[in-house]
Amino acid sequence: MQKKTLGFLVINKKHENTYITEIAKRSEPYNIECVRFEPTSIDPTSLMITGEKFEPKAQQWVDTSFSIPSFIYDRCFYNNQQASKKGKPIVEWLKKNPTTTFLGFGLPDKWKLYTSLLNDQTIDPYLPPTELLNDSIQVIKHLKLSGPCILKPIHGSRGVGIIAVKQSSDSITVTYHKGHDKKHKVFSSLKDLSKWCEKLILQQPYLLQPYLPLTDANNYPFDIRLFMQKDRNGEWHLIEKGVRKGYHGSFLSNLNSGGDPLRFQDWSQDLTHKQKYLLEDELSTIIDCLPPLLEEKFKQLFEIGVDIGYAKDGSIWILDINSKPGRKTFTKTNPHLKEQLYKAPLEYCQYLSKYNNVKGVETND
Ligand SMILES: Nc1ncnc2c1ncn2[C@@H]1O[C@H](COP(=O)(O)OP(=O)(O)O)[C@@H](O)[C@H]1O
Ligand SMILES: [Mg+2]
């Protein structure tokens, strides 16, 4: 059988180095060659790529050039930074290139995702009511009629740029994180808040959601992270669920913003039997329905990480769906999962390659 090449698309060569190298170390028995490269390293005329290839004998990466690999595992995060902005159109072009297959095609921004899932009978009840923020009046109205709210950048990830807005009798406080640290801004009038909001919207598009009471009995913010992936037969499975707990007084549970991972089993020990049953039941509905629904609405995916909010009244909310999920929440608390996680992209790649061959035979007929 012809050797396949799996290309890791990265923001820079050291990006997710451990994860990618551990996959590459296991690639030989699968007859897969591993390369890694940045989107901007493709020569637009020759279509040759300058990057690195993993040498199984030496067990290390070496500089080289190669043609577009047969499979691509896209691990790039596209934020507002220059390097990722430049890369995005190139990746969009690569996705349309018939000589390569992406393991997963990613998901659109948070607003498109929300509006696409909104009318699905099963998933809709789990979506927090969300508005696209066009005008500061929406924030003021929300504070007045429903209470505190959360503003979320539609292209955001890892808790970056999320803002909580709360009103008290004589002022309005906005809170956000800078890494682990929490920062505040206090406005003495709605007019001042309004001016600040208008400036904010000009920087990047935001969503507005109610501030949900997603803290535990001791007032620590937390969320449940579901990690789902396709197996060697292209079938979806829940690989693990974990809990991320933010620090006291924070409102984000992202690891990047100071959160710590916990094992779901350990965390759920504090729940009553009934709470546990109801939670597990609702989670399994989401686990069964969400991946096929996403693939129906968008394109093929290999894995997703879903952030679930579990509010004080027992209600369950889908806060966020990530097509390039991190693995730290699970590997830190379940090191035995690592082996499976490192092999999964290779096994899925093998599945895709068989599937592509079958497709080829059908077209020839
Ligand atoms: N509506 C909300 N109310 C309260 N907390 C929220 C809300 N939405 C998100 N959070 C908290 O903020 C964190 C990050 O939000 P999320 O939507 O996952 O954005 P990101 O893409 O930045 O991870 C969540 O994990 C949760 O802890
Ligand atoms: Mg998230």
Side-chain angles (χ1 to χ4, degrees), residues 110 152 157-159 162 209-210 212 223 252-254 307 320:
K110 291 186 200 292
K152 236 181 242 191
S157 66
R158 301 160 180 215
I162 300 194
Q209 286 182 348
L212 301 164
D223 66 8
L252 299 177
S253 40
N254 303 70
D307 300 340
D320 190 22

Side-chain angles (χ1 to χ4, degrees), residues 228-239:
M228 288 178 260
Q229 207 171 39
K230 281 188 184 162
D231 67 6
R232 67 180 74 192
N233 300 312
E235 277 160 20
W236 283 101
H237 291 277
L238 172 76
I239 304 300

Side-chain angles (χ1 to χ4, degrees), residues 295-330:
E295 288 194 302
E296 179 196 312
K297 298 277 179 192
F298 308 108
K299 289 183 92 182
Q300 167 196 303
L301 296 161
F302 161 52
E303 56 190 0
I304 54 168
V306 187
D307 300 340
I308 304 279
Y310 183 49
K312 287 197 160 136
D313 62 359
S315 55
I316 286 154
W317 302 99
I318 298 176
L319 300 175
D320 190 22
I321 309 170
N322 305 271
S323 59
K324 291 162 191 165
R327 284 151 178 75
K328 257 191 218 146
T329 307
F330 311 101

